[in-house]
Amino acid sequence: MSVAVITIDGPSASGKSSVSRDLAAKLGWKWVSTGAFYRGLAWVAMKEKVEVTDVPKLVNLCSDPLWSVEMRDDKTAVIWRGSDVTDEVFSEAVGEKASQVSQIQDVRKALLQAQRNCAIGVLGLVAEGRDCGTVVFPQAVLKVFLTASQEARALRRAREQGADVGKIQASQTERDNQDSTRTAAPLQVPPDALVLDTDHLSLLEAVEKIHFDHRFFRRDIGS
Ligand code: DC
């Protein structure tokens, strides 16, 4: 039987991870931050001194058994040589590198199946990222697109990371621009997505709204 998937796409720091985590907990489902695949690859490439321009080596690294992505209730973890390196992988600096490697079509192709595999053997899946509703899980029962103002997003990440808000905003603006204008699976609002502006919603309100839409407006899935 097909597994139900809800996708949550949107720009950086729009609240995708917190909303996905709490929604998955409410539904008793798993959740995955698909950015962890691109961040993990970028981080491992930095460790292994592989240039972001060396596409064949990057593609090989995608299936290197030395690193993996694990779905946990509180986070999507990146494991490298048996160590949990998630905190480093989710830094703003690695986010910038991740955005660069995610431009490469061959890299996206090489990471696609691993993302889809997250929906195997689970009751249901909340998947967040940039192209979850358009490319990774086009059959999703509900597609959500989260937005928030640049200021609110920068402030959110700066508070989380104890970093300078101006620097974070500059980095996010560049990353959003790269993620939306690339030719390979750019960030875009999936047709028929529920669009939510999180500037005007608390985390709980956003989760409740998506949960409501899932109960009453979801698409049927084939078996
Ligand atoms: O959501 P995030 O900030 O962890 O993602 C890091 C980068 O990974 C993002 O700038 C673009 C890329 N990404 C992507 O191209 N497709 C996805 N589904 C998720 C992330």
Side-chain angles (χ1 to χ4, degrees), residues 9-13 16-17 33-39 90 94-100 102-103 108 115 128-132 136 157 175-176 178-179 182 184-185:
D9 290 305
S12 49
K16 303 186 300 290
S17 290
S33 167
T34 57
F37 289 89
Y38 296 96
R39 286 174 173 274
F90 275 86
V94 176
E96 283 175 27
K97 283 266 178 223
S99 176
Q100 286 171 23
S102 73
Q103 313 283 310
R108 303 197 70 83
Q115 293 171 68
E128 62 98 332
R130 302 293 185 292
D131 63 341
C132 290
V136 187
R157 223 4 92 72
R175 199 141 70 84
D176 290 342
Q178 257 177 195
D179 294 345
R182 68 186 180 211

Side-chain angles (χ1 to χ4, degrees), residues 41-72:
L41 174 66
W43 188 88
V44 172
M46 283 155 81
K47 275 273 164 202
E48 303 284 333
K49 305 214 177 341
V50 171
E51 294 293 329
V52 292
T53 46
D54 192 340
V55 177
K57 277 199 184 153
L58 277 180
V59 168
N60 274 342
L61 274 188
C62 289
S63 53
D64 191 321
L66 281 179
W67 73 283
S68 59
V69 169
E70 287 182 11
M71 291 187 286
R72 306 217 177 125

Side-chain angles (χ1 to χ4, degrees), residues 3-4 28 41 54 61 85-86 104 108 122 131 134 141 145 178:
V3 164
L41 174 66
D54 192 340
L61 274 188
V85 294
T86 315
I104 306 166
R108 303 197 70 83
V122 297
D131 63 341
T134 50
V141 291
F145 192 87
Q178 257 177 195

